[in-house]
Amino acid sequence: MGYSPISPVPSPQSPIMNTKTWLQLPAFRSKNYRLFFLGQGISLIGTWMTQLATVWLVYSEKGIITEEEATRV
C-alpha cells in the first residue's frame, strides 16, 4: 500500500488532534501574544456584528431600497 499524506480521519495520537500542537509555533509560546491573538479575534467578531447591525438598522428604518434609490448618487 502506498504512502498517503492525508488521512481521512486523524487518530487521537495524530499531531492534528494534539491540543498542544499550536504551541509549537514560536509566536504562540508567548502568553502575551496568545492573549493579543485572542483579543484580535474577539474584536473582529465585534466589527462584523457592528457592520451587520448597521445594515440591519438602515433597512429597518428606511425599508428596502428601490432600484431608483440605489442608482441615485
Side-chain angles (χ1 to χ4, degrees):
M1 186 188 272
Y3 172 75
S4 175
I6 300 174
S7 173
V9 178
S11 67
Q13 293 81 23
S14 171
I16 296 171
M17 298 296 285
N18 187 355
T19 57
K20 295 189 179 193
T21 300
W22 57 274
L23 284 175
Q24 292 176 356
L25 295 171
F28 285 114
R29 290 185 187 141
S30 168
K31 181 181 179 182
N32 287 335
Y33 184 76
R34 289 193 308 263
L35 290 172
F36 170 76
F37 194 80
L38 176 65
Q40 289 296 311
I42 293 170
S43 177
L44 182 62
I45 292 169
T47 300
W48 291 340
M49 291 172 66
T50 301
Q51 289 176 346
L52 179 62
T54 303
V55 170
W56 188 2
L57 178 66
V58 169
Y59 276 121
S60 67
E61 293 294 320
K62 187 162 175 74
I64 297 176
I65 298 174
T66 64
E67 185 174 307
E68 180 183 309
E69 292 172 336
T71 56
R72 192 179 336 149
V73 177

